[in-house]
Amino acid sequence: MRLIILIFAAVMFVSSPATGQDKQPRDSDDKKEEKREKSGGKLDKIKDKISKKSKHDDDDDDSDDSIFAHFVFHFWWDINKHYRYTPYPYYKAGLLDRDSSLIRPLHFETSLSAFSGGSNIRAVNFNGKLKLYTIFGLEFQYNGFTEDDLMSGSELKMFRFGGVVNLLSHPNGYLELKFGAWDIADAGTGPLIGFEADIAPVYPVMLNFRADLSEINGHDIADYAFTFGYVYKRIEFFGGYRAFDLAGETIDGPIGGVTLRF
């Protein structure tokens, strides 16, 4: 009985397609794909179709915009386009009006301040900003540092110029993204990216947070500031704290000044 089983197993093994001389040739990749398309379900066909890059994409790279990107842009545009600057903060409600009849497409503000970075470092700061409909704008900043010691004195001048884009608008404030260039005189220039928020929580208080970042000649450069202001019509008197991180050297201290809005 055992001999019969062994003979039967040997016959089956010899006659199998894997070991026989007449084994079937393998299907090419095109035939496999054709069989899969014919036998596969609808979801598999959809996934196969999406996974392949269409000829239209090869001809036109601009069509790569995703639905998500369009949604984000339209959402951002909708929450910003209806806002207008009030003649001055707290003119009626807050810093901005929504769907207001007071159409002020152009907004300009400038500030002048003094900074103390320790016992022997002082700085004069100037900032000017021009914006359209609270959405886009341009900004210029200047910081002029002087250092006096017993033997000699030195100075350091910094210039920043960049575009401004509102990320979020609200009657009580806005959040901005800044991008451009940061130049340190006689040292070098690097790219600039920054964030700034103006918040008008309750009359006559104005809060400002800002952070500017750059890299010049491989060194990290940063400017952080927080100020607390008192608003009277177009004038704001403010004071706060500022910190400059210049290639690993930190200069920080109090800051105070005045802002005018038009």
Side-chain angles (χ1 to χ4, degrees):
M1 184 65 180
R2 182 179 300 175
L3 181 61
I4 294 174
I5 294 174
L6 291 175
I7 293 173
F8 180 78
V11 172
M12 293 294 293
F13 179 78
V14 171
S15 62
S16 65
T19 57
Q21 297 296 324
D22 57 343
K23 65 180 181 179
Q24 300 295 325
R26 294 184 178 179
D27 291 337
S28 65
D29 293 338
D30 294 338
K31 289 185 177 179
K32 286 182 179 180
E33 185 175 350
E34 182 179 355
K35 287 183 178 180
R36 185 167 61 250
E37 290 180 352
K38 291 182 178 179
S39 61
K42 178 182 271 189
L43 293 179
D44 290 330
K45 293 179 180 179
I46 292 173
K47 286 190 289 186
D48 288 341
K49 188 174 183 180
I50 294 177
S51 64
K52 299 174 185 176
K53 192 172 183 180
S54 67
K55 295 181 180 179
H56 179 69
D57 288 337
D58 292 334
D59 297 335
D60 186 9
D61 294 336
D62 293 336
S63 62
D64 292 336
D65 296 338
S66 66
I67 296 176
F68 178 75
H70 284 289
F71 172 78
V72 170
F73 174 78
H74 287 297
F75 175 76
W76 169 81
W77 179 265
D78 184 67
I79 63 176
N80 283 287
K81 69 176 182 178
H82 297 297
Y83 281 98
R84 305 289 185 270
Y85 288 97
T86 58
Y88 48 82
Y90 298 110
Y91 173 75
K92 285 188 175 180
L95 189 64
L96 306 173
D97 273 346
R98 184 175 177 86
D99 301 318
S100 173
S101 60
L102 295 171
I103 299 178
R104 300 183 70 245
L106 193 64
H107 169 77
F108 178 73
E109 67 178 51
T110 180
S111 63
L112 184 65
S113 61
F115 168 77
S116 176
S119 60
N120 60 343
I121 297 179
R122 302 287 185 270
V124 175
N125 313 287
F126 171 81
N127 184 84
K129 184 185 298 183
L130 176 68
K131 294 188 67 179
L132 303 173
Y133 290 102
T134 77
I135 297 180
F136 306 106
L138 299 171
E139 184 178 46
F140 172 78
Q141 294 186 52
Y142 166 78
N143 305 108
F145 292 86
T146 58
E147 181 179 13
D148 298 319
D149 55 30
L150 296 177
M151 301 299 295
S152 63
S154 60
E155 63 178 18
L156 178 67
K157 296 181 179 180
M158 297 191 300
F159 305 89
R160 276 170 277 181
F161 182 83
V164 178
V165 178
N166 256 30
L167 298 180
L168 181 64
S169 292
H170 187 271
N172 296 107
Y174 49 81
L175 175 65
E176 298 175 347
L177 168 67
K178 295 183 289 184
F179 53 93
W182 189 332
D183 176 73
I184 297 181
D186 302 323
T189 304
L192 165 69
I193 183 170
F195 296 91
E196 182 173 354
D198 270 348
I199 304 174
V202 61
Y203 180 80
V205 176
M206 180 69 70
L207 304 177
N208 177 272
F209 304 85
R210 69 177 61 190
D212 289 348
L213 306 173
S214 181
E215 182 178 344
I216 300 177
N217 298 329
H219 301 288
D220 293 332
I221 309 297
D223 176 13
Y224 308 99
F226 163 72
T227 60
F228 179 94
Y230 176 89
V231 174
Y232 177 74
K233 294 188 176 182
R234 300 181 185 275
I235 303 176
E236 175 191 350
F237 300 95
F238 64 86
Y241 196 82
R242 196 164 191 173
F244 292 89
D245 186 0
L246 307 175
E249 298 291 334
T250 301
I251 303 174
D252 57 341
I255 186 174
V258 60
T259 296
L260 298 177
R261 294 181 173 88
F262 303 95

